[in-house]
Amino acid sequence: MTAHLFSPITLGNLEIPNRIAVAPMCQYSADDGSATDWHLQHWMNLAMSGAGMITVEMTDVERRGRISHGCMGLYSDANEAAARRALDAARRVATPGAKFGVQLAHAGRKASNHRPWEGSGPLKPEEDAWPVISCSPLAYADGWQVPHALTEEEIEQTIGHFVDAAKRAERAGFDFIELHSAHGYLLHQFLSPLSNHRTDRWGGSLENRMRFPIEVARRVAEAVPNLMVGARMSLTDWVDGGFTLEEAIAVANAYRKAGIAYICCSSGGNSPHQSLRTGPGYQVHLAEALKQATGIPVRAVGMIDQPAQADAIVRDGRADMVALGRALLADPRWPWRAAAALGHPFHAAPQLARSAGLMKQWGSAA
Ligand SMILES: Cc1cc2nc3c(=O)[nH]c(=O)nc-3n(C[C@H](O)[C@H](O)[C@H](O)COP(=O)(O)O)c2cc1C
């Protein structure tokens, strides 16, 4: 049986050994943006998972762009050195050919929040909260901060922060960058008419709303020509009057012209009023629609956790790759198990190789 999930793919200038990606997942465990020992073990563990593409969590391009006090950043020399240390260690144990990237982001109006396990919602002033920014002075939800609307000059500075962080990512040794243009964070805030009420050249028409994210993509791609640059988008806000799939198709085409090599297709996150039904593969139809309309390589994500399901998504041409989040937290050897279940060989580090027989037994039982 040919396992399509285990065929290589080239995105931009980067060859990825299989179609399985680790989805970016915040660990809320950084120290003023710097990766800690938690990240060291986490990245080393994921490096051995067998996933071809490892996307490090949302990493913020400036300090005030962090969701929480524990979020990763690439805004200081210390952040860059800490990322380099953890990445070097991960590479030493990685499955041959695995590629590492970092998701560059700015939380905008959703910054200054609690870590999820400390309760949700904005930090209180006595919790070292900080003022947040966005395109328009519109709070995400009741009780959340009203953001400062960026001036023209501040928009230019913010683009500069993305460029600087991209250069830091390259120096830290990453192979690719994923721009976080989803889940209601700053790039998505500009894109969506729910959060962008500007009347200057950065708001109003779709062309104006996409100007900031496209400019970020263009300048980042230009700044790090040796790195592959992709983007994650929310293809719909799931709210009447919000950002739509049709608009997302136009944005994806513009992203491609700006140098973006793939789109990871997610959805939602920009409104507490979103209405969606989740279930196995609930966002795959969005990836498929974007792929059909644009021809851009797409990564599907969201409740993909069964080997046959993942393989079928790629085999049927619905998406070029799949990204797994929670399944890889639950079982960082998921790609081995998938390979065993699909009858494909897999590489286990020699220290772990005696587990391979067991993995095959579990795989054939799956
Ligand atoms: C703990 C956790 C942290 C996450 N952090 C991020 C993030 O940093 N960036 C992002 O784009 N999505 C983030 N997500 C969303 C995941 O990347 C993924 O899209 C989502 O979990 C759905 O995929 P799954 O069903 O395979 O988990 C996070 C999800 C989880 C569970």
Side-chain angles (χ1 to χ4, degrees):
M1 178 172 32
T2 311
H4 293 75
L5 200 54
F6 290 92
S7 56
I9 182 170
T10 301
L11 298 176
N13 58 2
L14 198 63
E15 175 156 340
I16 294 170
N18 60 51
R19 309 299 180 100
I20 305 170
V22 178
M25 281 181 287
C26 291
Q27 299 296 295
Y28 308 100
S29 302
D31 177 8
D32 193 358
S34 291
T36 61
D37 283 351
W38 178 263
H39 298 92
L40 184 76
Q41 70 78 25
H42 185 54
W43 299 1
M44 289 178 85
N45 201 14
L46 294 172
M48 290 185 290
S49 70
M53 185 182 201
I54 296 148
T55 323
V56 161
E57 68 190 81
M58 169 163 174
T59 296
D60 300 298
V61 301
E62 66 166 325
R63 201 165 187 270
R64 66 179 170 172
R66 294 171 306 156
I67 303 173
S68 75
H69 285 299
C71 286
M72 283 268 301
L74 269 176
Y75 49 78
S76 71
D77 291 349
N79 295 164
E80 186 182 316
R84 163 119 241 158
R85 165 183 175 258
L87 188 56
D88 283 352
R91 283 207 192 275
R92 284 196 286 274
V93 298
T95 310
K99 300 297 186 302
F100 294 85
V102 61
Q103 190 188 47
L104 292 186
H106 193 301
R109 66 178 183 168
K110 289 175 82 175
S112 190
N113 252 251
H114 292 107
R115 293 174 177 88
W117 56 81
E118 290 168 345
S120 55
L123 293 173
K124 299 188 185 74
E126 64 274 21
E127 294 171 315
D128 200 12
W130 61 91
V132 305
I133 58 143
S134 186
C135 38
S136 298
L138 297 165
Y140 169 71
D142 290 346
W144 288 51
Q145 276 190 58
V146 176
H148 161 70
L150 292 171
T151 63
E152 179 88 19
E153 197 187 346
E154 289 165 337
I155 288 177
E156 179 54 38
Q157 283 165 3
T158 309
I159 296 170
H161 293 319
F162 273 92
V163 168
D164 291 346
K167 290 180 183 161
R168 288 190 184 280
E170 183 171 38
R171 289 197 295 266
F174 287 104
D175 303 305
F176 72 96
I177 284 171
E178 178 170 296
L179 293 178
H180 197 349
S181 157
H183 302 170
Y185 298 114
L186 188 62
L187 301 190
H188 184 183
Q189 288 162 31
F190 269 86
L191 284 174
S192 170
L194 300 176
S195 40
N196 185 344
H197 287 189
R198 294 181 79 101
T199 52
D200 60 3
R201 68 194 187 103
W202 304 99
S205 65
L206 177 62
E207 195 190 345
N208 283 353
R209 278 182 277 128
M210 73 165 89
R211 193 180 307 280
F212 174 70
I214 297 301
E215 195 55 17
V216 167
R218 196 183 62 75
R219 296 265 296 273
V220 163
E222 215 173 72
V224 289
N226 296 325
L227 298 199
M228 187 270 280
V229 184
R232 176 173 259 203
M233 290 178 69
S234 281
L235 299 195
T236 168
D237 280 337
W238 300 113
V239 177
D240 283 345
F243 189 67
T244 62
L245 175 61
E246 208 182 358
E247 291 188 319
I249 288 168
V251 174
N253 278 323
Y255 264 145
R256 177 157 57 179
K257 284 199 195 114
I260 292 295
Y262 73 90
I263 303 284
C264 185
C265 300
S266 191
S267 68
N270 198 30
S271 166
H273 306 298
Q274 67 184 26
S275 154
L276 77 155
R277 277 238 291 276
T278 59
Y282 69 100
Q283 296 175 138
V284 177
H285 69 288
L286 297 171
E288 185 177 15
L290 191 79
K291 182 175 165 61
Q292 274 180 9
T294 65
I296 297 171
V298 298
R299 208 168 74 180
V301 68
M303 297 180 77
I304 300 167
D305 59 10
Q306 298 302 316
Q309 173 201 22
D311 193 51
I313 291 167
V314 176
R315 186 183 62 234
D316 297 344
R318 302 185 69 199
D320 300 281
M321 296 189 75
V322 292
L324 279 67
R326 289 163 292 179
L328 276 163
L329 291 185
D331 177 8
R333 306 284 179 267
W334 188 94
W336 298 10
R337 212 152 45 78
L342 297 167
H344 199 272
F346 59 90
H347 171 92
Q351 297 90 331
L352 307 176
R354 288 176 71 180
S355 69
L358 196 55
M359 201 57 95
K360 283 184 191 142
Q361 257 179 48
W362 292 346
S364 54

